[in-house]
Amino acid sequence: MGTFWMPEGASTMSGEVDSLFYLVYWISVVIFIGVVAAMAYFAIKYRRTRESYVPPIVHENRFLEAAMIFIPLILTMVVFTFGFKTYLKMNIAPPTAYTIEAVASQWKWDFTYPNGKQVTGELHVPEGKPVKVHSTSMDVLHSFFIPQFRVKQDVVPNRYSSVWFQATKVDSFDVFCTEYCGTSHSGMLAKVIVHKPEDFEAWLNAGDDRPLDVQGESLFKANSCNTCHSIDGSRIVGPTFKGLFGSSRTFADGTTRTADEDYLRQSIMQPGSEIVESYPNVMPASYGTTLRPDDVTKIIEYIKTLK
Amino acid sequence: MSETVAVPASIDTSVPKNYLNHDKSIKSWLLTLDHKRIALLYLVTISIVFLVAGVLALLVRAELFTAGETLMKPDTYNQFFSLHGILMVFLFIVPSVPAIMGNFVMPMQLGAIDVAFPRLNLASYYIYLIGGVLVVTAILAGNIDTGWTFYTPYSARLGSSVIFMTLAVFIAGFSSILTGLNFIVTIHKMRAPGLTWNRLPLFVWSIYATSIVQVLATPVIGITMLLLLLEKTLQIGIFDPALGGDPILFQHFFWFYSHPAVYIMILPAFGIISDLMGVFSRHEVQGYKFVALSSVAIAFLGFLVWGHHMFVSGQSAISSIVFSLITYLIGIPTGVKVLNWVGTMYRGSVSFKTPMLYALSFLFLFTIGGLTGVALGVLGLDIHLHDTYFVVAHFHYVMMGGTVIAAIGGLHYWWPKITGKMYNETMGSIAAVLIFIGFNVTFFTQFVLGTKGMPRRYYDYQIQYEALHQISTVGSWILASGLFLVLFTFIHSLMKGKKAGSNPWGAATLEWTHTASPPSPHNFDEQPIVTHGPYDYHALARVSGDGAAQTSEPELSESRH
Ligand SMILES: [Cu+2]
């Protein structure tokens, strides 16, 4: 369940990173206590008792000075070497790794599997097999971070970067974006879902048979729509979806229109085309290129249910 | 104690002329060429920046008190933390110690009547002011929400406002270049007779090292700005991937300036702490030569480690390895300095006056800041910790626990010289303790948040992080109350403070031994001649006849007649 410092570890790398952390940690604690103890001891022992007392000059101790340089030098080189070894392991994915393509955009993660299956906001992986996430960005910098796996990699437009891990627990964990990317940076989340290998195969080959509006609800969250649109009537950055379908909308230019399916599709695919009155034009235009048409349909089905 | 050796007020009833009261017109302040008055102009301006940026920090912490929306919308939050960072880094910490205390104290520590180029010094102040106004306009007009790092391509989306912003930062930086040049020349050319390099106070050494970095590093922002401008106007791809540019290149440019800038921020603090440890332990600073020269070495090495900010950016593994190694090399002299400061108390005579409380806080906090910096330099570990609250906590321990704590300590130390008044010790020490506690409550929790995976710059967070965020926010209130108490202590001292003697701490450097508090407009009535080192309290005791704790007035009056 994790320690005071580190969250629970769930990849083959996590144990190694944690040992590294605790190595540095304990060396630091010992040095720190040494410094503070010396400081407290000197401060109290040599506190000023007579105002006019001028203490004798202390001659420098060359041996002590040399030790002060060499001991830290040796300690840091030890720490460096271990850090370096772990870093190399983290950098070089095993050639057999199962590769999943990831595309980051403001503010969602899209994953594509070798068989063409596409999922937004959920990264399904098999337990006990090395997985490589090969990623790029559609717009600005993002960063792919799974705390429980102790891996992180910046995701850069016009470039590919990759990160690999081997999950050791069947469970689900958070994926965070750790490179600042705008309004909903903190909403750019995904889940990594670890399956038993056979369950993973089954998942990979199965279609999603949940009702469209239920799938739409997942997409609403996976695409971070929920960071700007509420479903309870409150105003966040954008208008609430509660009671949206079928209502009459007024736009910044004074025109009005009924919120039917066409209107919803247009507002999602071309957010700048009609700006709802009193709201800023900040909804990302990138949805027009990164959302799949059938996903938009599912989201619309979901909006329809929000009476 | 200083009360007994008062200025000959009984003989001459008129208040002695000093740099504060010799001319009281507004014009004489705004157009002053006196380094002491310019220092005060900076003090007031920079304190206002600190206040504004600090209030923003409190708002940011308040928003994080609960998960989800607490006070403000995400865009407001993003602008607030950006504004907090930009103001604190470019308009507060970078100029703070050099411009305020460097200006006030350094020429006096040299036994000089002013800096080498007083007019340039005044110009630097106004350039800083223009830069500051531009930064604020750029932020307000451009809704800048990029954080203080302005990473492209996100910042490119803001169009020309990021160029405007870099221009503003560059102008503010230009003021540092001029101040740096001015100080380098002053230190080379205006030392009093007998003030050899080996007798320079360590504060002067650190200001010297800082000035070198200011002069060499700041032009890089200028270059970056020019490249952004070329990209925008000529549409050639440099940083913007849409034009075929490379956003990582921007990070190289940014850190090539901003990492050395970290040393602009911390080196002056080292200088203050050296002086405080010497004076309040009444003891030679251990390893004087090492402390002095390692600042200069750190200044140069500081140019070679920028890549340690980019271990996960996708730069090559080899570069990461080299940057990690050099980072350690820089860490070691810094660590040795801490040991030297602690060693200074050994067999000394340690007084716990407020400035010393800050110096001891500094040693405590900066050691944590330094050690966690080593943790971040460990390649395999940085992957997990990068861009989490661990980094936020680390640099606050260094920048605030280091520089700001040292600066406040220094301000208490030089306050009697600056104003001629003592502050209330009890209030001063209570504030120091409050700040120490508040600081640790606020930022230590952030180390834990960070190792647990909480990313930085998050408006909203997972519920498992909420308890720690709340502790941190409560800490920020304690911290703020301590800081306000400091402000109150100083205002109280201005109004009700006891008169300060010329050397209330029994220090051995020229600003204390050879001039009154506050100093006369030209610092010294006579050219001081230096016969001993900056921390030679035996020589001081010999000159003043009895204990060093006595002020050295006798010597003063001798040199006057
Ligand atoms: Cu992102």
Side-chain angles (χ1 to χ4, degrees):
Chain A
M1 218 24 262
T3 62
F4 175 74
W5 290 101
M6 286 294 191
E8 137 182 55
S11 77
T12 49
M13 226 50 223
S14 59
E16 194 165 327
V17 173
D18 290 7
S19 326
L20 195 56
F21 174 79
Y22 280 105
L23 174 71
V24 181
Y25 176 73
W26 284 114
I27 294 179
S28 303
V29 168
V30 170
I31 295 178
F32 177 69
I33 291 182
V35 169
V36 173
M39 195 169 98
Y41 178 74
F42 290 165
I44 293 168
K45 172 120 199 271
Y46 301 111
R47 70 187 176 279
R48 191 167 294 177
T49 43
R50 251 185 328 126
E51 257 332 301
S52 59
Y53 172 64
V54 181
I57 291 169
V58 176
H59 288 287
E60 299 186 359
N61 181 334
R62 300 249 165 242
F63 177 74
L64 199 68
E65 269 178 15
M68 285 192 321
I69 295 179
F70 280 104
I71 295 173
L73 191 66
I74 291 167
L75 285 178
T76 46
M77 284 307 120
V78 168
V79 167
F80 169 78
T81 315
F82 282 110
F84 165 66
K85 280 192 179 154
T86 310
Y87 181 71
L88 284 190
K89 270 194 210 163
M90 291 171 125
N91 252 277
I92 302 166
T96 55
Y98 180 80
T99 304
I100 301 171
E101 298 294 329
V103 176
S105 56
Q106 282 171 323
W107 292 285
K108 64 201 185 77
W109 298 99
D110 287 300
F111 302 103
T112 309
Y113 289 79
N115 70 353
K117 180 160 180 157
Q118 293 189 313
V119 190
T120 301
E122 282 180 5
L123 174 63
H124 293 256
V125 299
E127 181 203 10
K129 286 200 178 147
V131 172
K132 180 164 135 186
V133 180
H134 190 232
S135 48
T136 189
S137 161
M138 295 289 287
D139 39 45
V140 300
L141 301 175
H142 301 278
S143 190
F144 180 86
F145 176 36
I146 307 174
Q148 277 78 4
F149 291 179
R150 317 282 191 266
V151 293
K152 184 179 290 129
Q153 177 62 48
D154 281 7
V155 180
V156 183
N158 270 11
R159 269 201 194 192
Y160 280 98
S161 52
S162 65
V163 61
W164 81 274
F165 52 79
Q166 181 170 332
T168 54
K169 273 183 195 150
V170 176
D171 200 344
S172 78
F173 308 104
D174 292 315
V175 178
F176 293 130
C177 172
T178 43
E179 187 66 77
Y180 178 71
C181 57
T183 310
S184 299
H185 169 51
S186 63
M188 186 162 162
L189 307 170
K191 283 270 177 210
V192 48
I193 298 164
V194 185
H195 299 275
K196 288 214 158 26
E198 57 276 18
D199 296 346
F200 176 73
E201 283 306 317
W203 171 84
L204 191 60
N205 297 313
D208 194 339
D209 49 8
R210 293 176 298 166
L212 288 186
D213 62 310
V214 177
Q215 293 184 38
E217 181 175 5
S218 309
L219 289 165
F220 168 71
K221 289 180 185 143
N223 288 293
S224 299
C225 314
N226 60 337
T227 59
C228 294
H229 297 285
S230 77
I231 53 169
D232 61 1
S234 65
R235 174 176 178 152
I236 313 178
V237 176
T240 183
F241 283 171
K242 185 179 176 168
L244 170 61
F245 186 72
S247 69
S248 167
R249 315 303 299 154
T250 312
F251 304 110
D253 57 9
T255 55
T256 57
R257 182 174 169 187
T258 305
D260 54 13
E261 285 166 350
D262 284 343
Y263 166 72
L264 291 182
R265 184 170 290 274
Q266 186 190 329
S267 320
I268 298 169
M269 304 297 279
Q270 299 152 287
S273 60
E274 279 168 322
I275 311 296
V276 184
E277 189 181 21
S278 90
Y279 284 92
N281 181 15
V282 293
M283 182 163 152
S286 60
Y287 288 126
T289 46
T290 60
L291 281 177
R292 286 181 296 280
D294 54 325
D295 283 353
V296 178
T297 312
K298 291 170 187 166
I299 295 176
I300 293 174
E301 287 307 314
Y302 172 60
I303 295 178
K304 283 187 187 169
T305 65
L306 301 166
K307 300 267 160 45
Chain B
M1 46 177 168
S2 47
E3 227 60 5
T4 47
V5 235
V7 206
S10 47
I11 310 160
D12 181 0
T13 40
S14 70
V15 191
K17 284 273 177 251
N18 61 44
Y19 83 103
L20 291 170
N21 63 13
H22 72 103
D23 185 345
K24 290 190 167 163
S25 66
I26 303 253
K27 188 174 153 234
S28 76
W29 275 96
L30 294 182
L31 296 179
T32 179
L33 299 181
D34 180 350
H35 68 102
K36 302 183 286 304
R37 285 191 163 201
I38 294 177
L40 291 192
L41 293 180
Y42 274 117
L43 175 64
V44 172
T45 324
I46 290 176
S47 304
I48 295 172
V49 174
F50 184 57
L51 182 72
V52 173
V55 168
L56 286 167
L58 287 174
L59 289 170
V60 163
R61 280 292 352 142
E63 168 55 44
L64 293 170
F65 193 70
T66 57
E69 181 177 330
T70 311
L71 281 181
M72 56 186 94
K73 303 287 177 202
D75 285 323
T76 320
Y77 173 84
N78 293 341
Q79 284 169 22
F80 279 10
F81 81 68
S82 304
L83 198 53
H84 163 73
I86 296 169
L87 290 180
M88 282 292 192
V89 171
F90 296 109
L91 295 183
F92 171 68
I93 292 216
V94 167
S96 64
V97 180
I100 302 170
M101 281 163 253
N103 249 320
F104 193 93
V105 177
M106 186 270 291
M108 280 198 275
Q109 289 195 330
L110 295 180
I113 55 167
D114 207 312
V115 293
F117 309 113
R119 266 168 226 284
L120 190 64
N121 201 17
L122 182 66
S124 307
Y125 172 73
Y126 282 103
I127 294 173
Y128 166 77
L129 212 59
I130 294 170
V133 169
L134 284 180
V135 167
V136 175
T137 357
I139 293 169
L140 297 181
N143 293 326
I144 289 195
D145 66 343
T146 58
W148 74 282
T149 46
F150 311 123
Y151 276 7
T152 53
Y154 182 72
S155 59
R157 178 197 59 105
L158 297 166
S160 49
S161 56
V162 72
I163 299 179
F164 193 45
M165 190 74 210
T166 26
L167 174 70
V169 166
F170 181 61
I171 291 178
F174 212 83
S175 135
S176 317
I177 300 184
L178 296 180
T179 308
L181 268 177
N182 210 343
F183 286 1
I184 293 176
V185 177
T186 310
I187 295 170
H188 271 275
K189 290 287 169 202
M190 301 191 54
R191 281 171 287 134
L195 187 54
T196 57
W197 288 90
N198 283 332
R199 285 179 182 166
L200 277 189
L202 286 164
F203 181 67
V204 175
W205 269 109
S206 73
I207 290 289
Y208 183 70
T210 310
S211 302
I212 295 177
V213 189
Q214 281 178 328
V215 171
L216 295 182
T218 321
V220 179
I221 319 179
I223 298 172
T224 318
M225 183 194 72
L226 219 69
L227 291 176
L228 281 169
L229 206 70
L230 285 180
E231 172 164 60
K232 187 96 192 150
T233 50
L234 302 180
Q235 295 288 307
I236 42 174
I238 300 172
F239 305 126
D240 187 355
L243 299 170
D246 182 358
I248 307 291
L249 184 64
F250 179 83
Q251 297 181 24
H252 282 288
F253 271 99
F254 180 80
W255 289 114
F256 192 81
Y257 164 72
S258 295
H259 194 80
V262 169
Y263 296 99
I264 300 181
M265 304 179 219
I266 194 69
L267 285 173
F270 289 173
I272 296 180
I273 295 303
S274 304
D275 273 19
L276 294 184
M277 291 311 293
V279 171
F280 293 93
S281 309
R282 197 172 287 160
H283 210 239
E284 188 85 23
V285 175
Q286 287 297 301
Y288 170 89
K289 274 206 181 122
F290 182 89
V291 175
L293 293 177
S294 63
S295 290
V296 182
I298 290 173
F300 283 107
L301 278 176
F303 281 96
L304 304 175
V305 296
W306 79 91
H308 69 208
H309 295 270
M310 300 166 58
F311 289 158
V312 301
S313 72
Q315 77 182 357
S316 78
I318 300 288
S319 336
S320 292
I321 289 161
V322 172
F323 283 124
S324 167
L325 255 177
I326 309 178
T327 304
Y328 286 124
L329 290 187
I330 237 179
I332 289 167
T334 313
V336 177
K337 279 188 194 219
V338 171
L339 298 179
N340 277 316
W341 289 321
V342 173
T344 301
M345 290 189 286
Y346 175 64
R347 302 188 62 188
S349 165
V350 181
S351 138
F352 295 100
K353 291 278 169 14
T354 309
M356 186 60 164
L357 296 183
Y358 282 102
L360 295 174
S361 295
F362 171 96
L363 291 182
F364 186 99
L365 302 174
F366 183 74
T367 305
I368 297 181
L371 290 169
T372 51
V374 172
L376 285 169
V378 180
L379 288 165
L381 194 52
D382 181 63
I383 305 289
H384 179 64
L385 299 175
H386 183 79
D387 269 339
T388 65
Y389 265 68
F390 193 88
V391 176
V392 177
H394 158 69
F395 69 73
H396 279 91
Y397 265 83
V398 176
M399 302 282 87
M400 179 150 197
T403 308
V404 177
I405 294 285
I408 301 177
L411 203 56
H412 280 85
Y413 172 57
W414 282 300
W415 185 259
K417 185 56 61 181
I418 297 175
T419 61
K421 302 252 172 95
M422 297 305 291
Y423 57 87
N424 181 313
E425 262 315 320
T426 320
M427 267 160 38
S429 346
I430 294 176
V433 172
L434 272 181
I435 291 176
F436 179 77
I437 296 172
F439 180 87
N440 282 299
V441 175
T442 311
F443 292 107
F444 197 81
T445 30
Q446 298 189 1
F447 282 124
V448 188
L449 276 170
T451 52
K452 288 195 182 305
M454 169 76 208
R456 67 193 281 200
R457 297 177 171 173
Y458 261 32
Y459 164 74
D460 190 6
Y461 49 80
Q462 305 298 94
I463 203 73
Q464 72 260 29
Y465 299 119
E466 192 170 46
L468 287 165
H469 271 298
Q470 292 188 342
I471 299 175
S472 179
T473 302
V474 171
S476 73
W477 299 332
I478 306 177
L479 180 54
S481 61
L483 288 169
F484 277 111
L485 187 53
V486 170
L487 182 66
F488 181 75
T489 310
F490 284 148
I491 294 174
H492 177 265
S493 154
L494 284 182
M495 297 189 322
K496 297 226 167 87
K498 281 201 248 143
K499 232 178 116 20
S502 69
N503 190 3
W505 315 120
T509 41
L510 294 175
E511 84 276 27
W512 298 106
T513 55
H514 281 70
T515 178
S517 303
S520 69
H522 294 293
N523 298 349
F524 305 99
D525 296 328
E526 220 174 65
Q527 174 65 59
I529 293 169
V530 181
T531 53
H532 56 78
Y535 310 106
D536 187 345
Y537 301 99
H538 286 276
L540 182 70
R542 274 196 302 281
V543 176
S544 47
D546 44 24
Q550 298 287 321
T551 69
S552 45
E553 279 302 321
E555 182 202 14
L556 237 194
S557 39
E558 255 164 43
S559 55
R560 263 193 197 140
H561 299 298

